[in-house]
């Protein structure tokens, strides 16, 4: 049996932009992606702390060390610049894999720099 577990999380990132006129996705600072063990094109769930929205999209890598957290396309309607969000990925594991699993959790400051 496969169970779904938290794989990685960027906690309390600040939305730096919301671009309605883009095809879709979330652009995330490449340095944050690497630290959080996330990959470009990977599916993510976005949890907006300010308004309670929860939705899924996929990742596009942004410029490293830019602090960029930009929601694009339809997802731009779900957030506002300055909102705090939690960005999470999940992984499917069997019970044996799950016993030793520890998710990667990255906590960032108001400028999206790792604390």
């Amino acid at each position: 049996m496969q169970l779904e577990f938290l794989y990685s999380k960027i906690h309390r990132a600040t939305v730096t932009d919301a671009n309605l006129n883009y095809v879709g996705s979330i652009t995330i600072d490449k340095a944050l992606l690497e630290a959080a063990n996330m990959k470009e094109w990977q599916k993510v769930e976005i949890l907006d702390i300010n308004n309670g929205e929860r939705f899924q999209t996929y990742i596009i890598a942004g410029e490293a060390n830019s602090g960029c957290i930009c929601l694009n396309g339809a997802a731009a309607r779900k957030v506002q610049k300055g909102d705090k969000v939690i960005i999470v990925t999940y992984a499917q594991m069997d019970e044996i894999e799950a016993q030793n699993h520890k998710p990667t959790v990255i906590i960032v400051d108001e400028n999206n720099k790792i604390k």
Side-chain angles (χ1 to χ4, degrees):
M1 171 174 46
Q2 294 287 303
L3 305 168
E4 197 163 25
F5 291 89
L6 177 67
Y7 183 72
S8 59
K9 170 169 83 165
I10 301 172
H11 190 71
R12 294 188 64 85
T14 302
V15 174
T16 58
D17 200 5
N19 183 353
L20 184 61
N21 296 313
Y22 191 80
V23 178
S25 70
I26 181 171
T27 305
I28 301 174
D29 176 323
K30 186 174 179 155
L32 288 178
L33 288 180
E34 291 173 1
N37 202 22
M38 294 180 182
K39 309 284 187 244
E40 189 167 29
W41 313 117
Q42 186 175 10
K43 181 169 122 178
V44 289
E45 185 171 19
I46 311 298
L47 317 173
D48 189 310
I49 295 168
N50 294 78
N51 64 22
E53 286 282 357
R54 297 175 73 101
F55 56 93
Q56 296 176 345
T57 190
Y58 62 92
I59 298 169
I60 291 179
E63 181 181 339
N65 302 308
S66 66
C68 176
I69 302 288
C70 178
L71 278 298
N72 303 304
R77 293 213 182 264
K78 304 245 182 215
V79 302
Q80 291 185 12
K81 186 175 177 178
D83 280 2
K84 295 290 185 184
V85 293
I86 301 168
I87 305 164
V88 296
T89 63
Y90 302 97
Q92 293 187 351
M93 301 173 208
D94 62 33
E95 292 185 39
I96 293 173
E97 290 173 306
Q99 287 175 0
N100 296 317
H101 173 66
K102 299 279 189 260
T104 302
V105 177
I106 301 301
I107 299 174
V108 296
D109 65 16
E110 61 279 350
N111 297 309
N112 296 327
K113 301 298 180 200
I114 298 169
K115 286 187 175 182

